[in-house]
Amino acid sequence: MNQFYLDIEISHISTNETELAKKNLNHLKRMNIKQPVLVIFDRGYPSMEFVDFLETEKINYLFRLSSNDYKFERSNMVSTDEAVILRHTHQRLEKIRKRHPDRFEHMKEKVSTHTRIMTSILPSGKELALMTNLPFEISQKELEDLYYHRWEIEKKYHTLKNKMKFESVTGKSTIYVDQDFRAQVLVYNMIQDIRKEADDKVSVKGREKTADSKRLNLG
């Protein structure tokens, strides 16, 4: 929301995005941020293993679900916003056992995961399905508004790739790609810092001008 990159990860194309997200979140904990944290993910992330990781770390999450995610549980929903139990079935646990044997034992003992799923219809006619551990005091409309904030990261990717030409790296070896990536993000943050300072100055001048105008009117 403040337009800055707080943490970055880059790896081989075969690396699972969820594992990179875990690194980001572990770094976030070490930053010792005092405010409550909510992580927002698009489709492709809401695996049961990752949800368990987030709950273990006591991190608030908001996922968009694809049409194939948790179809059985969603088919049994009687309203558009419900508390849902995701059973740790043998089939689901087997997938976790192969990739995450340590978490497999924990989830086998846990038996199920409790979450919240809400659905709505977009203007296009398609379904929007969101999954979260945020309380029901936060309305469906508020959840939708929170999810749409995720678009900010897509705008940042657009800037890096199409304006700053991030993919035009100076070399093909790993170290050159890594250096270019970090340099580009550093420059991006420096630009945002300058932009934020300029915006703050404009905002202050605007308030001063409004205050002067009111004083003249009163005079």
Side-chain angles (χ1 to χ4, degrees), residues 6-22:
L6 295 181
D7 187 44
I8 56 176
E9 287 291 337
I10 186 169
S11 186
H12 191 273
I13 192 170
S14 63
T15 306
N16 186 286
E17 287 183 313
T18 301
E19 297 308 309
L20 293 180
K22 288 178 182 178

Side-chain angles (χ1 to χ4, degrees), residues 95-107:
K95 293 180 180 178
I96 296 169
R97 182 180 64 82
K98 294 176 182 177
R99 295 183 180 179
H100 307 278
D102 294 339
R103 192 162 297 278
F104 163 77
E105 295 296 337
H106 164 71
M107 293 184 69

Side-chain angles (χ1 to χ4, degrees), residues 31-57:
M31 291 179 195
N32 198 27
I33 295 174
K34 302 302 181 183
Q35 295 92 336
V37 173
L38 170 67
V39 290
I40 304 173
F41 294 96
D42 202 7
R43 291 165 290 194
Y45 283 92
S47 69
M48 196 172 286
E49 184 276 330
F50 190 37
V51 171
D52 189 73
F53 167 83
L54 294 169
E55 290 188 345
T56 302
E57 298 297 322

Side-chain angles (χ1 to χ4, degrees), residues 15-203:
T15 306
N16 186 286
E17 287 183 313
T18 301
E19 297 308 309
L20 293 180
K22 288 178 182 178
K23 290 184 178 181
N24 286 134
L25 293 169
N26 285 329
H27 294 165
L28 192 66
K29 286 185 68 176
R30 293 202 290 273
M31 291 179 195
N32 198 27
I33 295 174
K34 302 302 181 183
Q35 295 92 336
V37 173
L38 170 67
V39 290
I40 304 173
F41 294 96
D42 202 7
R43 291 165 290 194
Y45 283 92
S47 69
M48 196 172 286
E49 184 276 330
F50 190 37
V51 171
D52 189 73
F53 167 83
L54 294 169
E55 290 188 345
T56 302
E57 298 297 322
K58 296 180 171 53
I59 295 172
N60 293 316
Y61 61 81
L62 177 62
F63 293 101
R64 183 176 183 180
L65 301 178
S66 70
S67 58
N68 291 321
D69 289 328
Y70 309 113
K71 290 176 68 174
F72 175 77
E73 286 82 3
R74 288 160 64 183
S75 67
N76 288 317
M77 291 175 61
V78 296
S79 71
T80 59
D81 192 5
E82 290 186 17
V84 174
I85 299 175
L86 306 177
R87 301 291 181 187
H88 297 176
T89 62
H90 175 75
Q91 183 179 9
R92 287 169 171 172
L93 287 175
E94 275 301 296
K95 293 180 180 178
I96 296 169
R97 182 180 64 82
K98 294 176 182 177
R99 295 183 180 179
H100 307 278
D102 294 339
R103 192 162 297 278
F104 163 77
E105 295 296 337
H106 164 71
M107 293 184 69
K108 184 178 179 181
E109 185 176 337
K110 189 179 173 184
V111 179
S112 63
T113 293
H114 293 244
T115 190
R116 174 188 176 188
I117 295 179
M118 65 137 288
T119 61
S120 62
I121 303 299
L122 298 170
S124 64
K126 294 183 179 180
E127 182 185 63
L128 173 68
L130 301 176
M131 185 170 75
T132 184
N133 57 351
L134 292 173
F136 282 90
E137 285 77 13
I138 298 175
S139 69
Q140 288 183 255
K141 178 63 168 59
E142 288 172 320
L143 286 180
E144 290 180 16
D145 291 342
L146 283 170
Y147 172 72
Y148 290 132
H149 282 307
R150 199 202 65 80
W151 188 248
E152 289 298 321
I153 193 65
E154 298 294 343
K155 288 157 63 175
K156 292 178 178 63
Y157 292 153
H158 171 72
T159 299
L160 278 178
K161 292 177 68 176
N162 301 317
K163 294 182 179 179
M164 300 179 69
K165 304 298 180 183
F166 161 68
E167 292 172 318
S168 299
V169 292
T170 55
K172 293 183 178 180
S173 66
T174 301
I175 190 169
Y176 289 131
V177 174
D178 191 65
Q179 286 176 346
D180 281 4
F181 178 59
R182 296 180 188 281
Q184 291 280 32
V185 173
L186 174 61
V187 171
Y188 180 96
N189 277 349
M190 291 170 67
I191 293 171
Q192 292 304 320
D193 194 28
I194 295 169
R195 179 180 175 181
K196 185 177 184 303
E197 184 179 4
D199 287 345
D200 290 344
K201 287 180 179 178
V202 170
S203 180

